[in-house]
Amino acid sequence: MKKIIGFTPLLLIFLSCDPTSQMEANIENLTSQNLSVVFVSSDFSLGKTFQIAPGQIVLSQEGYDVGSTFLKPSLMEYDSVIIKNQVNETIKVYKRNDSSKNIYNVDEYWMFSEPSKRFFVYEFEIKTEDIE
């Protein structure tokens, strides 16, 4: 009887734990040139820049959530995403409301996979035709 009483609280703690979901968002450079991807925010501390060589993939965002069963990248804290070439010339600017291929439109332009339960991977490809 003492074993059951001691085991019951452990079982309740285990059953009440929420599962954790994880997410990775990657950007792949499928062009023949070195690119800089600049995430611009009005909050200077949120801005970030990635240098991506041809054929390279970089982790642009990761996250986890306790209790969530689905996660996806969010770019809402960024005013724009700028693609620059190796001589620092701006070659593409993504804004939230652009109607063409847009990095902000996760549902339409990001590839999605779920390699394991509650682990979500997104990938955005930058192709030559996207930046010409």
Side-chain angles (χ1 to χ4, degrees):
M1 183 68 163
K2 286 184 180 183
K3 288 182 181 180
I4 292 175
I5 292 173
F7 181 71
T8 302
L10 289 174
L11 182 62
L12 288 173
I13 290 171
F14 178 74
L15 292 175
S16 66
C17 291
D18 287 330
T20 300
S21 294
Q22 295 179 311
M23 181 270 308
E24 282 185 3
N26 301 301
I27 298 176
E28 182 173 11
N29 179 2
L30 296 177
T31 71
S32 60
Q33 55 186 313
N34 292 313
L35 298 177
S36 295
V37 180
V38 183
F39 291 82
V40 180
S41 176
S42 56
D43 181 348
F44 184 73
S45 66
L46 293 176
K48 56 186 173 182
T49 301
F50 298 104
Q51 305 297 325
I52 312 175
Q56 183 182 16
I57 299 172
V58 296
L59 175 66
S60 65
Q61 191 178 71
E62 60 186 336
Y64 69 95
D65 192 10
V66 175
S68 179
T69 57
F70 187 73
L71 292 175
K72 70 179 186 177
S74 172
L75 300 173
M76 297 314 292
E77 63 267 15
Y78 303 109
D79 302 323
S80 59
V81 179
I82 301 169
I83 310 295
K84 296 183 177 189
N85 62 14
Q86 55 202 9
V87 292
N88 209 31
E89 296 172 329
T90 298
I91 52 178
K92 178 72 175 180
V93 177
Y94 292 107
K95 295 280 191 178
R96 245 182 236 117
N97 298 324
D98 288 346
S99 59
S100 60
K101 180 178 178 181
N102 194 338
I103 196 168
Y104 285 93
N105 191 339
V106 174
D107 294 330
E108 190 170 341
Y109 295 110
W110 288 70
M111 291 180 287
F112 168 77
S113 65
E114 189 175 356
S116 62
K117 189 174 182 179
R118 292 187 191 82
F119 179 61
F120 309 101
V121 177
Y122 292 84
E123 189 171 301
F124 184 80
E125 295 178 337
I126 302 172
K127 300 176 182 177
T128 302
E129 57 266 20
D130 299 333
I131 58 175
E132 290 181 336

